[in-house]
């Protein structure tokens, strides 16, 4: 690299100030890239800074940052095109880099053509204001319904799709943004309170001794309805563009782009051998969300290569969860769709000398791979058998000559490699269980390591996104595609999501179910997605939670309380409010007539006029929660007690307790008598307001229901670490049932107007479940209707989704 003094002068010739020069020189890689670019552009220290357009300098800077870590062949072509004004935007420069790197990967640099370069980088393409406006309007009208629903929250996503998948690829980003902003305002009006993020508040400094761990720290304030910012930065924003993945056969890249039209294609490939859990929600959000964000498509592919564990109920449950989360698969496919094609490729691999039939036991294979003591590795005795012999034996496996474990097809990889995924993995094994879809047609089944990458290739996946436990598998993934000389998708790995304080193991959840600790796989105390759904958590709250955490390569271990806090923030913005009483205590207001009734109009959510209002009756007899009354008063108690006043939500005047009655046998208070303080000369605002429900048969009030309050199923964050086993860590108070709870009459309207909110996969007219009836019970928590409810009998059961923030101080 040139010496710093000389570079300083050349940087100043670009118009850099002293601070910029100093910061650039600190970064040795960036400085080296700049030095090369300056040489390529013949920019010397004597250059007049005023002679270079600042936009040109910005382009050179972008080129330097993009090539400081990864060199680009023929970079001088790009440098000259920036200097002469042909490449004007970062999008064009990025396209130029991809074009030249693609030629290099395909061994075609000597075929470089200026004409093709300019076509691939959009040189000379200009857009009028009217052309930009027309293309933006076409896209917005096609997506009008979603824009009206999600408003300004999807502006960035809209810009990304327009720039990546429409004819506006080469348009100036600022011009497109200006037009999008204008047309959004024309379509849905200016921003209002629905579009404003809450201001971030500075967290108080934590005490030194009690500093929380990184994964326990309170997250910064974010928009609880945002589900797409994770695609705009970090790991997902840095992924390659379609066609940017290296191909050993250059023609495969061309065919891939022709098949996909250059669009993003992803897949979500679950095994249909159990119910999905909270960790899978991240995979769904990333694979489906990334494709949708970039205007692409995502397959739902069932990895059904193990007939011993697959059941129809799992296929159905997986599809329903994906749709509930608001995603529509491009196609629903099965690995078994490709059984014949996979078999043919296994024969092809064998003919190429890259596979052989092995008759070793599992123990023998273990020793070949180094054993428990990581000793020397050595080849299977069948590894070098003649190709025709392996082909004959493989066909014999298919035709039933061998029983399970007597033979298997192994890939001939590299035993000297340090990666265990290269130690001759199994490609096919014998299973005598009939397959869910193909019946008895096959006796041999491909393994995950053989199937996964090949099915990705068949479906022209551009981005094979998976968790980091598969990072070593990337090498075998690439090896197999290259060995067969087929299109190779690019695997990229992100950190998985783990939730502490619960268990995800199918075997252990089955034990909880079978031994009666929980009602079933959908028990709201579990963290399977069917259980989370039944509990009442909205699909958007799950996507918002994943988005809030962001996506990196690090595994994320999150406490349940943080998940619940994210849900709480989401519900605060999206569900109506009702008054509910868990443990009703009748209060008779003595100075009101027997037939007294007034109706008050109450908003379902203050400050949210779109949710509407409803009428609530107020009568001589009302019910309050038993916890809101004390027989003996104290100075630090602010609810109802003898001689003490309390306010009733939305009722103009407070009530004062005059007496109460107890059951002599149980000592339990059975009735409270009170006075309505509407005749006092001066109104004194009570210190506390409490929820209540009127007794008014003509208004069908109260509405009776059973309320189930759920707490954490386990006492600790790591139940599996308990010395006596995870069952010994069960929380005996994980569920509290109030069979005589009541709710106000607004419940009926809330139920009929469900889903709350109407977002993601929950829409009117769709097959939404009872859990879409959600509401905030004032001072109690957030609740949802449970599937145990029976509408025709008027039997209502509700589940507490999460508590309120104020619960900790409720007893004040």
């Amino acid at each position: 690299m040139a010496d710093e003094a000389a570079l300083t002068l050349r940087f100043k010739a670009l118009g850099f100030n002293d601070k910029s020069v100093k910061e650039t020189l600190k970064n040795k890689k960036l400085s080296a890239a700049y030095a090369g670019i300056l040489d390529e552009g013949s920019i010397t220290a004597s250059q007049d800074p005023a002679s270079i357009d600042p936009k040109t300098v910005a382009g050179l800077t972008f080129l330097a940052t993009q090539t400081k870590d990864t060199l680009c062949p023929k970079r001088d072509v790009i440098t000259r095109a920036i200097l002469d004004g042909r490449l004007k935007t970062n999008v064009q420069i990025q396209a130029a880099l991809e074009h030249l790197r693609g030629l290099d990967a395909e061994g075609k640099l000597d075929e470089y053509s200026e004409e093709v370069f300019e076509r691939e980088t959009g040189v000379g393409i200009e857009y009028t204001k009217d052309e930009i406006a027309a293309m933006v309007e076409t896209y917005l009208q096609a997506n009008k319904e979603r824009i009206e629903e999600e408003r300004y929250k999807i502006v960035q996503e809209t810009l990304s799709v327009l720039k990546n998948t429409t004819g506006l690829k080469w348009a100036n980003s600022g011009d497109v943004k200006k037009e999008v902003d204008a047309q959004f305002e024309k379509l849905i009006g200016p921003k209002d309170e629905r579009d404003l993020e809450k201001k971030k508040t500075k967290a108080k400094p934590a005490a030194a001794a009690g500093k929380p761990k990184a994964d326990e720290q309170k997250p910064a304030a974010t928009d609880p309805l945002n589900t797409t910012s994770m695609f705009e930065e970090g790991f997902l924003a840095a992924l390659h563009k379609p066609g940017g993945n290296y191909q050993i056969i250059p023609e495969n890249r061309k065919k891939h782009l022709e098949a996909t039209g250059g669009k993003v294609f992803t897949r979500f490939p679950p095994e249909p051998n159990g119910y999905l859990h909270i960790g899978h929600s991240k995979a769904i959000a990333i694979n489906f969300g990334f494709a949708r964000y970039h205007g692409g498509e995502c397959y739902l592919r069932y990895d059904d290569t193990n007939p011993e564990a697959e059941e129809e109920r799992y296929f159905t449950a997986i599809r329903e969860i994906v749709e509930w989360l608001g995603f529509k698969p491009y196609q629903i496919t099965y690995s078994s769709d490709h059984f014949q094609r996979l078999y043919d490729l296994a024969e092809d691999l064998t003919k190429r000398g890259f596979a052989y039939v092995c008759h070793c036991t599992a123990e023998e294979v273990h020793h070949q791979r180094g054993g428990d003591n990581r000793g020397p590795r050595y080849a299977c005795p069948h590894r070098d058998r003649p190709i025709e012999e392996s082909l004959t034996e493989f066909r014999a496996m298919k035709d039933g000559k061998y029983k399970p474990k007597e033979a298997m097809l192994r890939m001939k990889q590299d035993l000297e490699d340090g990666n265990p995924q290269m130690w001759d993995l199994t490609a096919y094994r014998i299973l005598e269980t009939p397959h869910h879809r193909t019946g008895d047609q096959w006796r041999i089944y491909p393994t995950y390591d053989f199937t996964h990458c090949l099915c990705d290739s068949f479906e022209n996946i551009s981005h094979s996104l998976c968790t980091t436990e598969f990072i070593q598998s990337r090498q075998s993934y690439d090896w197999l595609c290259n060995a067969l000389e087929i299109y190779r998708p690019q695997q990229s790995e992100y950190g998985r999501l783990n939730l502490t304080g619960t268990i995800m193991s199918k075997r252990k959840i089955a034990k909880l179910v079978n031994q009666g600790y929980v009602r079933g796989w959908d028990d709201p105390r579990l963290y399977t997605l069917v259980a989370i759904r039944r509990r009442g958590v909205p699909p958007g709250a799950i996507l918002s939670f994943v988005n809030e955490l962001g996506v990196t390569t690090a595994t994320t271990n999150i406490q349940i309380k943080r998940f619940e806090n994210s849900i709480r923030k989401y519900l605060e913005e999206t569900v109506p409010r009702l008054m509910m009483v868990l443990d009703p205590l009748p209060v008779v207001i003595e100075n009101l007539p027997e037939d007294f009734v007034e109706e008050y109009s109450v908003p379902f959510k203050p400050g949210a006029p779109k949710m509407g209002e409803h009428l609530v009756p107020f009568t001589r007899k009302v019910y309050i929660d038993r916890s809101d009354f004390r027989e003996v008063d104290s100075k630090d108690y602010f609810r109802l007690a003898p001689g003490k006043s309390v306010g009733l939500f939305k009722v103009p005047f407070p009530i004062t307790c005059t007496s109460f009655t107890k059951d002599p046998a149980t000592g339990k208070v059975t009735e409270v008598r009170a006075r309505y303080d509407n005749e006092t000369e001066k109104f004194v605002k009570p210190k506390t307001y409490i929820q209540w429900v009127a007794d008014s048969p003509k208004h069908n009030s109260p509405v009776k229901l059973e309320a189930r309050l759920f707490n954490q199923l386990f006492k600790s964050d790591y139940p599996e670490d308990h010395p006596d086993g995870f069952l010994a860590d069960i929380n005996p108070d994980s569920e509290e049932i109030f069979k005589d709870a009541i709710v106000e009459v607004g419940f009926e309207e809330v139920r009929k107007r469900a889903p709350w909110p109407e977002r993601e996969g929950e829409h009117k007219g769709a097959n939404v479940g009872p859990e879409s009836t959600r509401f905030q019970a004032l001072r109690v928590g957030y609740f949802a209707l449970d599937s145990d409810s029976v509408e025709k009998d008027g039997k209502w059961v509700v589940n507490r989704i999460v508590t309120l923030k104020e619960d900790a101080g409720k007893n004040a």
Side-chain angles (χ1 to χ4, degrees):
M1 189 178 79
D3 65 78
E4 290 192 0
L7 270 180
T8 297
L9 294 174
R10 297 178 80 184
F11 286 158
K12 288 191 173 182
L14 288 177
F16 283 23
N17 58 31
D18 290 341
K19 183 178 179 181
S20 297
V21 171
K22 186 177 179 181
E23 290 298 317
T24 303
L25 288 173
K26 279 183 182 178
N27 189 326
K28 300 301 181 187
K29 288 185 179 180
L30 184 61
S31 296
Y34 264 122
I37 289 169
L38 293 172
D39 289 340
E40 293 158 5
S42 301
I43 298 172
T44 66
S46 61
Q47 183 96 24
D48 179 6
S51 67
I52 302 182
D53 190 318
K55 291 182 179 179
T56 300
V57 175
L60 295 175
T61 299
F62 180 75
L63 179 60
T65 59
Q66 294 300 304
T67 57
K68 66 182 177 67
D69 294 312
T70 307
L71 293 177
C72 176
K74 297 182 76 68
R75 184 180 62 184
D76 59 300
V77 172
I78 303 176
T79 301
R80 290 195 300 273
I82 295 171
L83 289 169
D84 64 24
R86 284 178 295 151
L87 299 184
K88 299 176 181 179
T89 67
N90 289 351
V91 173
Q92 287 182 292
I93 297 169
Q94 185 64 47
L97 288 166
E98 291 177 5
H99 174 62
L100 293 175
R101 285 170 175 162
L103 287 177
D104 183 47
E106 296 171 7
K108 293 183 178 180
L109 268 180
D110 57 343
E111 298 178 20
Y112 169 78
S113 158
E114 193 81 1
E115 181 183 348
V116 174
F117 174 81
E118 292 191 350
R119 185 175 68 243
E120 291 291 312
T121 57
V123 171
I125 298 178
E126 303 287 343
Y127 299 82
T128 66
K129 184 177 179 181
D130 289 342
E131 287 172 334
I132 293 174
M135 289 191 213
V136 171
E137 183 178 12
T138 299
Y139 178 81
L140 264 58
Q141 287 300 321
N143 295 273
K144 182 179 178 182
E145 186 177 332
R146 184 168 176 232
I147 291 169
E148 288 177 337
E149 178 186 341
E150 302 195 34
R151 295 180 58 80
Y152 287 91
K153 295 178 178 65
I154 59 170
V155 166
Q156 284 302 121
E157 178 184 336
T158 301
L159 284 168
S160 177
V161 172
L162 284 168
K163 289 289 288 176
N164 285 302
T165 65
T166 73
L168 291 174
K169 179 177 181 179
W170 308 116
N172 180 278
S173 296
D175 294 340
V176 177
K177 185 178 187 308
K178 190 182 298 182
E179 187 60 39
V180 167
D181 288 343
Q183 292 202 29
F184 257 72
E185 185 167 348
K186 180 181 177 182
L187 183 63
I188 58 176
K191 287 185 177 181
D192 56 31
E193 68 276 359
R194 291 170 290 179
D195 309 300
L196 300 177
E197 285 193 30
K198 294 182 178 180
K199 291 183 179 179
K200 298 180 181 181
T201 54
K202 290 185 178 180
K204 295 179 181 178
K211 187 175 181 180
K213 296 178 182 176
D215 65 350
E216 296 174 354
Q217 290 176 357
K218 185 177 181 181
T222 55
D223 176 5
L225 304 187
N226 188 321
T227 61
T228 61
S229 62
M230 65 183 182
F231 305 115
E232 297 161 10
E233 57 189 11
F235 173 83
L236 293 174
L239 294 175
H240 68 283
K241 292 190 176 179
N245 42 322
Y246 169 78
Q247 300 300 319
I248 194 169
I249 303 295
E251 186 67 18
N252 288 339
R253 177 178 182 269
K254 181 181 177 182
K255 290 179 180 177
H256 163 70
L257 291 174
E258 287 174 352
T260 63
K263 291 168 65 174
V264 166
F265 271 79
T266 60
R267 80 291 170 270
F268 173 59
E271 296 178 64
N273 60 3
Y275 292 102
L276 302 181
H277 56 66
I278 184 64
H280 291 108
S281 66
K282 184 174 183 178
I284 295 171
I286 287 175
N287 280 286
F288 280 96
F290 182 79
R292 183 165 71 184
Y293 183 81
H294 290 287
E297 302 288 356
C298 181
Y299 287 86
L300 169 58
R301 183 203 309 147
Y302 293 109
D303 184 21
D304 58 340
T305 57
N306 182 10
E308 294 178 338
E310 295 156 6
E311 295 182 38
E312 176 62 31
R313 58 174 174 156
Y314 300 136
F315 286 89
T316 303
I318 290 168
R319 175 182 53 77
E320 289 178 348
I321 285 295
V322 168
E323 293 173 350
W324 175 66
L325 286 170
F327 298 112
K328 182 178 180 181
Y330 171 64
Q331 289 181 29
I332 296 177
T333 60
Y334 303 77
S335 294
S336 57
D337 292 339
H338 307 291
F339 275 173
Q340 184 60 53
R341 192 174 180 184
L342 289 166
Y343 175 81
D344 292 342
L345 283 177
E347 284 208 357
D348 186 13
L349 192 69
T350 306
K351 291 174 184 177
R352 292 170 183 258
F354 291 125
Y356 61 95
V357 171
C358 167
H359 301 279
C360 297
T361 65
E363 185 179 1
E364 287 170 337
V365 172
H366 180 61
H367 285 300
Q368 292 163 17
R369 292 173 173 169
D372 294 333
N373 298 321
R374 299 184 182 180
R377 295 186 290 279
Y378 57 92
C380 159
H382 313 99
R383 194 175 200 262
D384 295 321
R385 71 196 314 174
I387 288 175
E388 285 303 320
E389 186 178 308
S390 276
L391 270 177
T392 301
E393 289 294 274
F394 184 44
R395 290 165 183 166
M397 284 172 57
K398 177 172 72 77
D399 295 337
K401 177 181 178 180
Y402 297 107
K403 293 188 177 300
K405 300 182 181 180
E406 289 182 353
M408 59 185 156
L409 184 72
R410 292 175 68 182
M411 293 178 264
K412 189 184 290 188
Q413 297 169 290
D414 184 359
L415 295 173
E416 299 303 315
D417 194 290
N419 184 351
Q421 284 295 118
M422 293 298 290
W423 298 347
D424 289 13
L425 299 176
T426 302
Y428 266 82
R429 77 282 202 206
I430 300 168
L431 297 173
E432 294 183 333
T433 305
H435 189 274
H436 176 76
R437 299 182 72 239
T438 61
D440 296 322
Q441 182 180 352
W442 295 92
R443 295 186 69 258
I444 57 172
Y445 292 93
T447 61
Y448 173 89
D449 291 305
F450 185 80
T451 306
H452 187 63
C453 61
L454 299 184
C455 286
D456 279 355
S457 180
F458 300 157
E459 293 174 354
N460 270 296
I461 300 304
S462 62
H463 297 76
S464 180
L465 306 175
C466 57
T467 49
T468 50
E469 67 253 45
F470 295 103
I471 197 164
Q472 290 184 314
S473 298
R474 191 200 312 163
Q475 188 175 351
S476 56
Y477 182 110
D478 292 351
W479 177 89
L480 182 54
C481 289
N482 291 340
L484 290 166
E485 297 181 312
I486 62 174
Y487 165 71
R488 179 185 65 75
Q490 179 60 52
Q491 177 177 305
S492 301
E493 307 87 12
Y494 57 87
R496 67 183 297 164
L497 169 61
N498 294 327
L499 208 60
T500 63
T502 187
I503 57 171
M504 304 295 188
S505 159
K506 289 190 279 278
R507 180 178 59 82
K508 290 177 180 176
I509 293 177
K511 202 168 187 179
L512 289 172
V513 173
N514 295 335
Q515 295 187 20
Y517 289 99
V518 293
R519 291 182 176 83
W521 288 84
D522 64 347
D523 187 290
R525 290 165 291 182
L526 297 175
Y527 284 86
T528 58
L529 287 174
V530 289
I532 293 172
R533 178 179 183 176
R534 180 178 178 181
R535 181 170 146 193
V537 177
I542 297 173
L543 299 182
S544 175
F545 172 64
V546 173
N547 183 71
E548 176 188 305
L549 295 176
V551 181
T552 68
T553 55
T555 297
T556 308
N557 295 305
I558 297 297
Q559 290 183 312
I560 286 175
K561 65 182 180 182
R562 180 165 173 186
F563 178 46
E564 292 187 341
N565 188 54
S566 184
I567 297 167
R568 191 178 290 115
K569 287 190 296 182
Y570 186 91
L571 292 169
E572 169 68 22
E573 299 293 326
T574 57
V575 301
R577 299 176 182 180
L578 298 174
M579 292 187 291
M580 187 172 91
V581 173
L582 294 176
D583 189 3
L585 176 62
V587 177
V588 176
I589 305 172
E590 296 177 307
N591 59 332
L592 292 180
E594 289 282 350
D595 59 352
F596 176 84
V597 61
E598 282 186 356
E599 289 186 300
Y600 303 124
S601 183
V602 179
F604 277 117
K605 186 175 184 292
K610 275 196 169 182
M611 286 196 186
E613 299 186 351
H614 63 293
L615 294 175
V616 174
F618 173 56
T619 56
R620 184 173 189 265
K621 181 180 178 181
V622 299
Y623 297 93
I624 67 170
D625 199 277
R626 187 172 298 278
S627 64
D628 285 329
F629 175 75
R630 274 189 188 176
E631 299 175 41
V632 180
D633 191 18
S634 63
K635 289 182 179 180
D636 60 348
Y637 183 73
F638 302 114
R639 285 168 282 152
L640 200 60
K644 197 159 206 163
S645 298
V646 72
L648 303 178
F649 281 130
K650 296 301 177 180
V651 175
F653 298 95
I655 60 172
T656 301
C657 174
T658 56
S659 64
F660 61 89
T661 305
K662 297 174 69 173
D663 183 329
T666 63
K668 191 175 183 179
V669 176
T670 55
E671 184 183 84
V672 173
R673 293 268 165 170
R675 179 183 68 250
Y676 189 43
D677 297 331
N678 60 342
E679 298 176 359
T680 55
E681 293 183 8
K682 184 179 180 181
F683 174 76
V684 178
K685 185 177 180 179
K687 291 186 177 181
T688 298
Y689 283 83
I690 61 174
Q691 77 272 23
W692 55 278
V693 177
D695 181 44
S696 181
K698 74 174 185 179
H699 293 94
N700 294 317
S701 179
V703 177
K704 297 179 179 180
L705 44 77
E706 176 182 306
R708 298 171 181 170
L709 277 59
F710 300 107
N711 300 307
Q712 200 164 316
L713 182 60
F714 298 98
K715 292 181 282 189
S716 74
D717 279 346
Y718 301 97
E720 290 167 299
D721 291 347
H722 195 286
D724 297 324
F726 75 99
L727 293 178
D729 197 48
I730 292 280
N731 175 13
D733 300 316
S734 63
E735 180 183 64
E736 189 176 2
I737 298 177
F738 292 86
K739 291 188 174 293
D740 299 314
I742 56 175
V743 67
E744 50 139 307
V745 292
F747 171 78
E748 284 300 319
E749 184 176 343
V750 167
R751 188 176 63 80
K752 290 173 182 175
R753 287 175 58 189
W756 298 90
E758 190 175 5
R759 291 173 61 92
E760 279 68 47
E762 296 184 332
H763 293 276
K764 286 183 172 64
N767 186 25
V768 295
E771 71 281 345
S772 65
T773 298
R774 305 180 182 94
F775 60 93
Q776 181 195 119
L778 295 173
R779 298 178 65 244
V780 182
Y782 291 96
F783 286 81
L785 205 56
D786 184 73
S787 55
D788 282 345
S789 300
V790 183
E791 182 177 356
K792 65 182 179 64
D793 297 335
K795 176 193 172 186
W796 305 117
V797 179
V798 294
N799 298 323
R800 185 173 68 185
I801 307 170
V802 287
T803 60
L804 294 177
K805 293 177 184 178
E806 293 80 9
D807 271 12
K810 185 178 181 231
N811 293 327

